[in-house]
């Protein structure tokens, strides 16, 4: 490996240490329905986002709530001894990508068949902490 490549790899590794994320893979919900839930919590403070997800009537909110709790646990494992309330954690990024699609056939009239696509998705949540300097500059 060349020196430039090694340096850039080390920089990426250091940047990943400051990122707190959780990933949910192959969730059997359509990406369109999951994006509705993801849009609800994007940019929110963590405690407020948990409340919104807990009292949401959408089925996808249960999976996202669990995923957000996992991201918080990942943050706690990297920052031992720091309280969540003092850190000003917020949901910096949430994105939903399409995953595998199960293709099924449903009988149709006159001997035909219609294809049914059962979709699934991948969800990624990234957390970040708001610094006092960032809040003053806005």
């Amino acid at each position: 490996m060349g020196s430039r490549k090694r340096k850039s790899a080390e920089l990426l590794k250091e940047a990943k240490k400051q990122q707190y994320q959780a990933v949910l893979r192959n969730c059997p919900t359509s990406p369109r329905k999951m994006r509705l839930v993801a849009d609800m919590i994007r940019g929110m403070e963590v405690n407020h986002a948990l409340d919104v997800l807990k009292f949401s009537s959408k089925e996808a909110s249960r999976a996202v709530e669990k995923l957000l709790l996992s991201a918080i646990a990942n943050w706690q494992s990297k920052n031992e001894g720091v309280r969540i309330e003092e850190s000003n954690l917020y949901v910096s990024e949430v994105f939903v990508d399409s995953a595998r699609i199960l293709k099924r056939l449903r009988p149709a009239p006159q001997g035909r068949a219609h294809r049914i696509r059962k979709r699934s998705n991948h969800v990624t949540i990234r957390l970040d902490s708001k610094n006092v300097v960032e809040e003053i500059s806005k």
Side-chain angles (χ1 to χ4, degrees), residues 2-19:
S3 64
R4 277 189 301 170
K5 198 170 184 180
R6 186 178 301 112
K7 287 178 185 175
S8 65
E10 288 172 3
L11 287 173
L12 284 173
K13 196 172 183 181
E14 287 299 318
K16 281 217 174 200
K17 286 182 183 177
Q18 299 303 318
Q19 282 185 351

Side-chain angles (χ1 to χ4, degrees), residues 29-37 39 96 119 121:
T29 309
S30 74
R32 187 175 180 178
K33 292 177 184 177
M34 190 63 86
R35 282 188 191 107
L36 290 173
V37 175
D39 291 341
V96 180
R119 299 176 185 271
N121 62 57

Side-chain angles (χ1 to χ4, degrees), residues 7-73:
K7 287 178 185 175
S8 65
E10 288 172 3
L11 287 173
L12 284 173
K13 196 172 183 181
E14 287 299 318
K16 281 217 174 200
K17 286 182 183 177
Q18 299 303 318
Q19 282 185 351
Y20 316 105
Q21 74 173 16
V23 180
L24 174 64
R25 298 215 183 267
N26 292 319
C27 181
T29 309
S30 74
R32 187 175 180 178
K33 292 177 184 177
M34 190 63 86
R35 282 188 191 107
L36 290 173
V37 175
D39 291 341
M40 286 193 309
I41 65 164
R42 186 174 288 119
M44 279 188 184
E45 183 198 333
V46 169
N47 291 329
H48 185 62
L50 282 172
D51 291 341
V52 167
L53 291 172
K54 186 173 183 87
F55 295 109
S56 173
S57 62
K58 301 213 175 279
E59 185 66 31
S61 66
R62 310 289 176 258
V64 176
E65 180 184 5
K66 222 172 158 181
L67 184 65
L68 183 56
L69 288 170
S70 175
I72 293 169

Side-chain angles (χ1 to χ4, degrees), residues 78-96:
K78 290 184 180 181
N79 297 302
E80 293 184 21
V82 181
R83 294 182 56 212
I84 295 175
E85 293 81 19
E86 297 169 356
S87 64
N88 297 325
L89 272 183
Y90 74 103
V91 180
S92 64
E93 268 187 292
V94 180
F95 51 91
V96 180

